[in-house]
Amino acid sequence: MKVIETVITDTLETELAYSRLAAVVNGTEYIEPQDFWTFPSPMERQTNHQVYQGEEKIIVAIDLGTTHTAVSFTHAYPGSEIDVRTVNNSGNKMERTAGSGRGLQGSSNLFKIHINIEPKYDTTIQIPTIVAYEQYDLDSCGAEARERIGDDAYEVSKWFKLHLHPDSMKISDEPPAYDYNVDDSPAMEIPPLPWGATLTRVYADFMEYVFKGFRTFFQETTPNGVAIWNRLSSSIVIILTIPNGWDTRQQGFLKQAAREADIVQSEEDADLRIEFVTEGEASVHYVLGKVNHRTWLKKGTMFAVTDAGGSTVDSTLYVCKALEPKLELEVCASECIQAGGVFVDRAIRALLTEKLSNSRFGDNESISDMVDKFERRTKRVFDGSQESLVIEFGGRRDNDREYGILQGKITLTGSEVGTTFDQVIKRSTDSCLKLLAGRKVKHLLLVGGFGESPYLRLRLKKEFGSKGTEVVTVEEPSKKAAAEGAVLWYTKQIVSARVARFTIGTNIIVPFIPANAEHFTRRNQAFIGPRQVLVSLSHL
């Protein structure tokens, strides 16, 4: 990571003390700031060149994932271009420094800017989906709550999204800890909720935290942001992304949690302002905005989008219905399975627990530290070519040579790390193969946080490349694909139709049965139906 430091002055006389700064320092260009708090990176903004003609409104999309959450939004008004922005979780903060004069000689209004340049992994756009409680009271959420893991004074809830998965997505309802047998189907693991906390409360606490953070970010990074927020806050359109496998039950639950979080004020308000879009459908808008689809997408072209996330892998098959005057896509089929990055984390925990069972570093706290460091770096750089990988988890005095631990670092072989991916990759591949079976699909677009794994990409490209399907990825981090794509989905509905997963309704025409007293009373309404069978209108 390259760190660039400079100093600027600020009078703090207006909400936005300055709005533009451009310089090249050590070969790295500063990004134009939106205010004196945060410098968005190029990856945090997408101008879509789409002119908005509706009424002025704020549109926000929340992709509440199993391990991380992303928030994207736009302030749309007539004649404006849709400019999608992503909330920066940590930001590149400016620290106030001491001083009494003005300018570079010192001032009470002097700020020091630290801009962290991380070319490959941008974690600032994601909020850890974690909630911590202390003695039944909410303590913290996000990155701060993550620091509470392992502290006995707190109860921490993570991966709570798994509690909402319908039975159709589960492998097993029994959650035995960490099963490390790659030949077996993965057991369904659901970490327990904090004692005394309901799932609704955990969701509501986290959603309130996320929405308040969005409000602060909007007000501080939008010119005249406070006034705009006060004028439009009661009509904000809230888009929640959900896995392909979720249905009305999960949607109703999320609306209830939003009401308890005071994001919406009533059931009617929730119905009016909350929209749902599948993660797969949102992602296709994001991807098509990032790749030059005009070079390969033609009328009649069929392609797939796979969103590999924390706990689910959503795959959707599309066919292009039209390119002009606007792009129109139709959903042909979709798949949603329980797989993703958390299952790799579970597998590495099982491996380490077994490997270090007789080591003094085999305790739960040490294992948890190793898994955390593995998730943050090792998992993200593993591509299958490394002979060995190192997980840094402790200090210089942490040694156990017999178990490969030296100065707080444990070394694993590449094959050991590879086995932690095997189950997830097999399930993901099988799901895609099922979706593509018997169809001529030339492109598979891969997105999602787990979709950035070099090893997953390599394995999928090898599997599908031999079958004539090219796996396409985007250069920018796709962890925010669903959130950013959901905003685009709302502002330009390019998916014109989709295959219904199920139908809600009632029979209105049924075979006429003379012995049925109810049918007999309506015998004068009986008629010959489309299958040449005597039928009757059912009682509505």
Side-chain angles (χ1 to χ4, degrees):
M1 178 183 294
K2 183 186 294 184
V3 178
I4 298 174
E5 181 176 308
T6 189
V7 176
I8 65 170
T9 61
D10 173 59
T11 63
L12 296 180
E13 294 176 350
T14 64
E15 286 184 44
L16 299 179
Y18 58 82
S19 61
R20 286 178 173 81
L21 174 64
V24 176
V25 181
N26 293 334
T28 302
E29 183 179 355
Y30 275 123
I31 307 305
E32 179 178 310
Q34 294 304 297
D35 72 332
F36 53 81
W37 288 112
T38 305
F39 285 80
S41 72
M43 296 178 292
E44 294 174 291
R45 301 177 63 86
Q46 176 175 320
T47 301
N48 203 51
H49 303 296
Q50 174 193 355
V51 178
Y52 181 76
Q53 299 297 344
E55 61 179 310
E56 182 185 13
K57 62 180 63 176
I58 298 171
I59 303 164
V60 60
I62 301 174
D63 177 31
L64 201 159
T66 304
T67 58
H68 292 87
T69 294
V71 182
S72 295
F73 68 96
T74 189
H75 171 216
Y77 50 90
S80 67
E81 286 190 349
I82 298 301
D83 180 22
V84 182
R85 303 167 58 194
T86 297
V87 173
N88 187 314
N89 177 30
S90 62
N92 299 303
K93 301 296 184 181
M94 292 185 278
E95 303 170 354
R96 183 169 296 189
T97 61
S100 57
R102 296 186 62 81
L104 297 179
Q105 300 304 315
S107 169
S108 59
N109 296 327
L110 195 66
F111 286 81
K112 181 183 292 183
I113 307 171
H114 297 279
I115 298 184
N116 296 329
I117 307 299
E118 179 59 76
K120 193 169 184 180
Y121 303 108
D122 184 5
T123 59
T124 63
I125 60 174
Q126 288 208 309
I127 306 162
T129 309
I130 304 175
V131 184
Y133 296 89
E134 183 181 18
Q135 297 181 346
Y136 319 120
D137 294 326
L138 176 64
D139 170 75
S140 55
C141 297
E144 186 178 352
R146 182 170 56 192
E147 301 304 316
R148 305 287 194 248
I149 296 176
D151 190 330
D152 293 337
Y154 303 92
E155 289 201 64
V156 179
S157 181
K158 65 174 186 176
W159 299 5
F160 51 85
K161 184 176 180 179
L162 295 178
H163 287 270
L164 268 186
H165 285 347
D167 291 341
S168 60
M169 289 172 57
K170 297 177 182 178
I171 305 306
S172 168
D173 288 326
E174 297 299 324
Y178 297 88
D179 178 13
Y180 182 62
N181 186 344
V182 297
D183 295 325
D184 296 335
S185 295
M188 173 63 180
E189 178 199 352
I190 305 179
L193 296 173
W195 194 90
T198 64
L199 183 60
T200 305
R201 180 189 175 184
V202 173
Y203 259 92
D205 286 341
F206 188 75
M207 291 172 74
E208 181 180 11
Y209 164 78
V210 168
F211 200 77
K212 285 182 176 178
F214 159 60
R215 179 185 64 193
T216 300
F217 187 90
F218 180 91
Q219 291 177 342
E220 294 179 348
T221 63
T222 304
N224 202 28
V226 174
I228 294 172
W229 182 274
N230 291 338
R231 187 173 71 250
L232 301 175
S233 60
S234 63
S235 61
I236 294 175
V237 175
I238 303 161
I239 308 166
L240 301 178
T241 65
I242 59 175
N244 288 356
W246 284 18
D247 53 33
T248 54
R249 173 181 171 272
Q250 287 76 26
Q251 293 178 21
F253 174 90
L254 292 176
K255 285 184 177 181
Q256 175 63 30
R259 294 199 298 272
E260 294 195 13
D262 290 328
I263 296 176
V264 291
Q265 304 308 309
S266 65
E267 185 175 347
E268 293 74 19
D269 192 30
D271 292 339
L272 182 65
R273 294 169 51 202
I274 296 180
E275 301 277 349
F276 294 97
V277 61
T278 64
E279 294 162 358
E281 187 165 330
S283 295
V284 73
H285 290 74
Y286 174 84
V287 173
L288 293 181
K290 298 296 182 183
V291 300
N292 184 11
H293 62 269
R294 296 285 178 176
T295 60
W296 58 270
L297 190 60
K298 300 176 176 59
K299 184 176 180 180
T301 299
M302 186 174 289
F303 67 97
V305 176
T306 293
D307 182 0
S311 65
T312 60
V313 174
D314 296 324
S315 298
T316 310
L317 197 63
Y318 295 90
V319 62
C320 179
K321 305 298 290 185
L323 289 169
E324 300 295 343
K326 68 175 183 177
L327 177 63
E328 290 186 22
L329 304 176
E330 181 178 290
V331 178
C332 297
S334 64
E335 282 280 319
C336 180
I337 61 166
Q338 184 166 273
V342 298
F343 293 95
V344 178
D345 300 342
R346 184 182 69 173
I348 193 65
R349 175 179 286 273
L351 185 150
L352 292 169
T353 299
E354 180 179 337
K355 186 182 183 73
L356 304 177
S357 59
N358 295 318
S359 169
R360 68 186 183 92
F361 295 102
D363 61 287
N364 185 62
E365 183 176 353
S366 296
I367 296 294
S368 294
D369 288 341
M370 295 177 194
V371 172
D372 180 61
K373 297 302 188 295
F374 172 85
E375 193 282 327
R376 294 196 194 191
R377 176 162 179 80
T378 311
K379 182 174 72 173
R380 306 184 187 197
V381 301
F382 178 65
D383 61 11
S385 66
Q386 300 95 328
E387 293 185 1
S388 63
L389 295 100
V390 175
I391 302 175
E392 300 183 21
F393 71 95
R396 296 177 59 84
R397 296 183 179 181
D398 295 325
N399 298 287
D400 195 340
R401 292 179 179 273
E402 181 181 354
Y403 294 94
I405 296 174
L406 183 63
Q407 296 184 347
K409 303 173 184 178
I410 182 171
T411 301
L412 301 177
T413 66
S415 61
E416 285 179 315
V417 175
T419 60
T420 66
F421 285 79
D422 286 345
Q423 255 183 34
V424 178
I425 291 180
K426 183 179 186 305
R427 285 180 51 75
S428 302
T429 302
D430 288 349
S431 175
C432 292
L433 288 173
K434 179 180 177 182
L435 184 70
L436 273 56
R439 297 182 170 101
K440 189 176 181 180
V441 179
K442 292 186 176 181
H443 298 89
L444 188 154
L445 313 181
L446 179 64
V447 297
F450 186 52
E452 293 183 11
S453 162
Y455 191 52
L456 175 65
R457 292 182 174 186
L458 179 69
R459 292 277 297 270
L460 290 181
K461 288 181 178 180
K462 181 178 180 180
E463 176 70 33
F464 291 98
S466 63
K467 296 175 173 58
T469 300
E470 179 185 8
V471 177
V472 180
T473 58
V474 294
E475 289 299 320
E476 297 184 10
S478 57
K479 299 181 182 70
K480 59 175 181 153
E484 189 171 293
V487 176
L488 299 176
W489 164 83
Y490 183 84
T491 57
K492 60 169 190 178
Q493 299 279 337
I494 65 172
V495 178
S496 60
R498 58 191 54 81
V499 177
R501 295 179 57 242
F502 54 83
T503 301
I504 299 175
T506 184
N507 292 325
I508 61 172
I509 298 178
V510 296
F512 178 74
I513 304 175
N516 186 310
E518 186 179 324
H519 286 201
F520 186 77
T521 60
R522 299 198 306 276
R523 60 188 181 278
N524 60 324
Q525 299 178 11
F527 60 95
I528 300 298
R531 296 184 180 180
Q532 303 302 307
V533 176
L534 190 63
V535 296
S536 172
L537 293 174
S538 66
H539 180 67
L540 300 178

